[in-house]
Amino acid sequence: MNAATRRLTTAQALVRFLAAQYTERDGVRHRLIAGTWGIFGHGNVAGVGQALVEYGDVMPYHQGRNEQAMVHAAVGHARRTSRLSAQAVTTSIGPGATNLVTGAALATINRLPVLLLPGDYFASHAADPLLQQLEHPVSADVSVNDCLRPVSRYFDRVTRPDALIPTALRAMRVLSDPAETGAVTLALPQDVQAEAYDWPEEFFADRVWHVRRPAPDPAELAEAVRAVRSAARPLVVAGGGIHHSEAEGALKAFVDATGIPVASTQAGKGSLRHDHPADLGGIGHTGTAVSDELARTADLVIGVGTRYSDFTTASGTLFRRPDVRFLNLNITAFDAHKLAARTLVCDARSGLTLLTDALAGHRVAPSYEAEYRAGKERWERVVEAALRAPDEGAVPTQTQVLGALDAVVGDEDVVINAAGSLPGDLHKLWRARSPHQYHLEYGYSCMGYEIPAALGVLQAAPGTPVWALVGDGTYLMNPTEIVTAVQEDLPVKLVLVQNHGYASIGGLSESVGAERFGTAYRHRAADGTFTGPPLPVDLALNAASLGMEVRRAKTVGELREALAAARASARPTCVYVETDPAPTAPPAEAWWDVPVAEVSARKAATEARAQYERSVADRRHHL
């Protein structure tokens, strides 16, 4: 037995341990924890902070400005690396720790790994209560960090040094597990962080976590083959699991062999190139007409790596054929069993490859291929009309902003968005050229994700042109990591769209009878409504004050020039454009359930309720 030990503090041991962890898939090794983001205060400055100084040669450190944003940056990094590499985030106790909750929820909902290291109270209770400590009257072991429990895939509080050894190993297992990953929280009492212990040298040895590609059960595979062979109108719903598994090539081989068309969720868009004849674009409430038309008549829906959110299923109203059945290929049984599906619980690449081989010689009818290809051509004409700006001197609409960007980007560019009206326009209209290009966070749809996530992507893929698309509402939520981009020389390209309010929620508010209340950035009029002139707020000046190079564009022509200059710039650059608010995006092709007031004295609400009752009648349970 090896009795060699090394005397370190708990925080030093943790940082040294993290620096020696690796993942491996398909024979390629990656650092599991590629770096640590941190904002320091009491609770982590003397523990993890000191340890990062001690081991700065093996653990890169990134200085953040907002704790939530640091998690978003780490999530962006994890997604760009197909979940094979993650980053850690350390905070002080109190508000620094609770600011992690939103980012943790986003990571766990999207099945993306991030390691959270918030400071905590004294395990010894020697100094009690601390500054910022929550005192619970009947549970002395509760702290504010316990609010991270429901949004973490794994949570532990390390109350003595030697407890770190099993806890750290469990944390790495979850971070590297393709079925269980998400936010992992290790709450670190500040006295334990600074306490020394004789650690076994084996704890610091390089450790490789193999990321498995489980194959499907043979009986499930045989049943799946029978289901596909018997279907006349099958449709693949491609989810984010395809990207996580790097299964895009396997999907293309499956589609090329069978002729089965593909519609994509927000997370799965880009699984096929936009110009592949079987790629039908987005599906669901923000989907394309051709995808949703086929979904309504499909007799077999093949979900690959999707969790079937309400946007994908149009709140249970999209898949309307009475005899429709589902076949779900997913690495998690939890998601595979949704919609009473036949299941293939396996890795996406492994499962698609074996399914393709087992279906050798099978192909959908030529008439079905001709039908969906004609639908794709019709939709392409809709896309062109929405993106095209006939007048170079006109103020651009939001979809024309996307058209101008579409004309500038290359296959390697990454476009990041998360919330507002842009996700719907992008899902319908964006022509994804590569697997990593379309980066939409729509599991949590978190305003403020875009800018910090862009930093994480740039850290994971240096030299990649990365665009953060934000509206004015999103920008005001979380612009602080612009300073980090400047500090670390990360040339993020920010497209800041000014439409003076929450455009997406304004439209939704109108549709559900809430009359756009509280959704515009305007002065309050005498009658109490917000219908006055726009606020005298200059977000371009704000971005410049934080260190960005700013280019203003007032017309379509100026916008094209500004975007080209931003792409060529080696500095963090903002393209600021005020848009024509006239809607130019195609309307929603499927419903989304937002319950409307059942009773009201206002006409707008009663009319919206009547429409709601007509729509909800189409919902069904799939059994």
Side-chain angles (χ1 to χ4, degrees):
M1 180 175 179
N2 187 355
T5 60
R6 190 185 311 186
R7 190 162 183 80
L8 301 173
T9 69
T10 303
Q12 291 165 357
L14 175 59
V15 171
R16 184 64 190 83
F17 168 85
L18 294 177
Q21 306 304 301
Y22 297 87
T23 61
E24 177 274 323
R25 187 171 71 183
D26 303 329
V28 180
R29 183 182 290 196
H30 307 262
R31 276 194 65 158
L32 177 50
I33 305 299
T36 299
W37 289 86
I39 296 175
F40 298 109
H42 83 98
N44 71 335
V45 65
V48 175
Q50 189 282 327
L52 289 170
V53 173
E54 192 91 12
Y55 290 109
D57 58 331
V58 294
M59 178 56 69
Y61 164 69
H62 308 292
Q63 185 178 35
R65 268 73 195 175
N66 174 284
E67 292 86 0
Q68 176 181 319
M70 293 193 297
V71 186
H72 293 338
V75 167
H77 173 96
R79 176 165 170 173
R80 183 60 179 78
T81 59
S82 301
R83 306 193 299 187
L84 296 171
S85 181
Q87 293 177 322
V89 178
T90 181
T91 72
S92 62
I93 69 172
T98 53
N99 281 351
L100 295 173
V101 174
T102 296
L106 181 149
T108 297
I109 285 170
N110 286 286
R111 307 343 193 221
L112 290 163
V114 60
L115 176 61
L116 308 180
L117 305 173
D120 214 325
Y121 56 55
F122 280 52
S124 66
H125 294 284
D128 200 21
L130 302 175
L131 173 65
Q132 300 176 322
Q133 181 179 344
L134 172 71
E135 292 185 273
H136 196 286
V138 296
S139 297
D141 63 341
V142 169
S143 83
V144 295
N145 288 333
D146 288 276
C147 66
L148 286 159
R149 289 181 184 270
V151 293
S152 298
R153 292 293 288 174
Y154 179 75
F155 178 99
D156 197 7
R157 179 174 284 113
V158 183
T159 56
R160 50 184 290 164
D162 56 329
L164 177 65
I165 295 174
T167 290
L169 293 171
R170 291 171 189 151
M172 298 304 103
R173 180 193 66 78
V174 174
L175 288 172
S176 61
D177 190 308
E180 294 188 26
T181 196
V184 169
T185 300
L186 302 184
L188 302 174
Q190 56 183 301
D191 54 344
V192 177
Q193 288 182 52
E195 187 176 344
Y197 181 74
D198 293 323
W199 303 88
E201 282 289 348
E202 295 169 280
F203 187 56
F204 307 117
D206 286 1
R207 188 179 299 268
V208 179
W209 301 84
H210 177 69
V211 181
R212 61 192 179 277
R213 290 192 180 277
D217 177 84
E220 286 193 336
L221 180 60
E223 181 64 24
V225 170
R226 285 192 289 272
V228 176
R229 286 188 180 277
S230 64
R233 300 181 63 81
L235 173 67
V236 169
V237 174
I242 290 176
H243 295 312
H244 299 330
S245 177
E246 298 178 324
E248 298 88 359
L251 176 65
K252 182 178 183 298
F254 174 80
V255 171
D256 288 345
T258 63
I260 298 174
V262 175
S264 301
T265 69
Q266 286 279 15
K269 194 173 170 78
S271 295
L272 286 181
R273 268 188 66 101
H274 74 94
D275 52 3
H276 191 287
D279 180 67
L280 308 183
I283 190 172
H285 178 63
T286 53
T288 68
V290 59
S291 288
D292 288 349
E293 286 167 6
L294 260 66
R296 293 184 181 100
T297 60
D299 57 356
L300 179 68
V301 178
I302 306 170
V304 184
T306 177
R307 64 191 189 95
Y308 286 112
S309 77
D310 60 340
F311 259 58
T312 298
T313 67
S315 300
T317 65
L318 184 59
F319 306 110
R320 295 186 180 181
R321 184 166 167 144
D323 61 345
V324 64
R325 293 294 180 264
F326 296 83
L327 169 64
N328 290 340
L329 192 164
N330 205 294
I331 200 164
T332 69
F334 177 82
D335 289 315
H337 280 274
K338 289 177 178 176
L339 302 176
R342 294 180 177 90
T343 60
L344 275 175
V345 181
C346 59
D347 169 75
R349 182 193 287 183
S350 297
L352 283 169
T353 299
L354 289 172
L355 188 58
T356 303
D357 292 343
L359 287 166
H362 174 76
R363 192 171 184 88
V364 298
S367 59
Y368 185 49
E369 285 193 73
E371 177 188 342
Y372 71 67
R373 290 188 181 199
K376 178 181 174 68
E377 291 177 4
R378 289 193 300 272
W379 183 254
E380 280 299 316
R381 292 192 288 272
V382 173
V383 172
E384 282 294 331
L387 298 182
R388 185 174 59 250
D391 183 359
E392 291 286 300
V395 174
T397 65
Q398 181 165 283
T399 60
Q400 290 165 2
V401 171
L402 299 182
L405 183 61
D406 175 80
V408 168
V409 301
D411 288 9
E412 68 275 24
D413 292 42
V414 176
V415 175
I416 301 179
N417 188 239
S421 56
L422 277 165
D425 292 354
L426 286 160
H427 199 206
K428 292 189 190 82
L429 304 173
W430 189 259
R431 298 182 279 214
R433 299 158 168 81
S434 61
H436 291 296
Q437 182 168 90
Y438 189 86
H439 185 127
L440 264 282
E441 189 291 295
Y442 216 62
Y444 209 41
S445 186
C446 186
M447 295 174 72
Y449 171 82
E450 297 89 341
I451 296 172
L455 307 191
V457 171
L458 282 163
Q459 289 170 341
T464 301
V466 180
W467 302 84
L469 275 57
V470 303
D472 50 329
T474 292
Y475 179 86
L476 288 168
M477 286 276 184
N478 200 6
T480 55
E481 299 317 298
I482 288 173
V483 178
T484 303
V486 173
Q487 181 180 38
E488 298 216 358
D489 295 319
L490 296 171
V492 61
K493 291 104 174 54
L494 170 63
V495 180
L496 179 48
V497 179
Q498 172 64 276
N499 54 25
H500 301 288
Y502 301 117
S504 172
I505 295 302
L508 176 62
S509 173
E510 185 174 29
S511 71
V512 298
E515 304 176 46
R516 293 186 175 264
F517 178 75
T519 62
Y521 291 157
R522 295 181 179 274
H523 285 284
R524 186 190 296 269
D527 62 359
T529 60
F530 293 90
T531 56
L535 299 176
V537 175
D538 193 328
L539 300 182
L541 281 178
N542 179 266
S545 75
L546 297 177
M548 294 200 97
E549 176 184 325
V550 175
R551 294 179 176 272
R552 296 175 185 263
K554 295 182 178 180
T555 67
V556 171
E558 291 176 359
L559 177 62
R560 293 184 193 279
E561 294 176 2
L563 291 171
R567 191 174 189 275
S569 177
R571 292 187 53 205
T573 303
C574 170
V575 175
Y576 176 85
V577 57
E578 292 205 36
T579 55
D580 182 341
T584 51
E589 297 290 339
W591 186 60
W592 180 42
D593 189 350
V594 178
V596 177
E598 191 168 1
V599 295
S600 174
R602 299 183 71 87
K603 180 181 179 182
T606 57
E607 291 179 349
R609 179 67 191 192
Q611 178 59 51
Y612 176 82
E613 291 176 354
R614 288 190 292 271
S615 297
V616 80
D618 290 330
R619 178 184 285 138
R620 61 179 294 193
H621 295 288
H622 297 283
L623 300 171

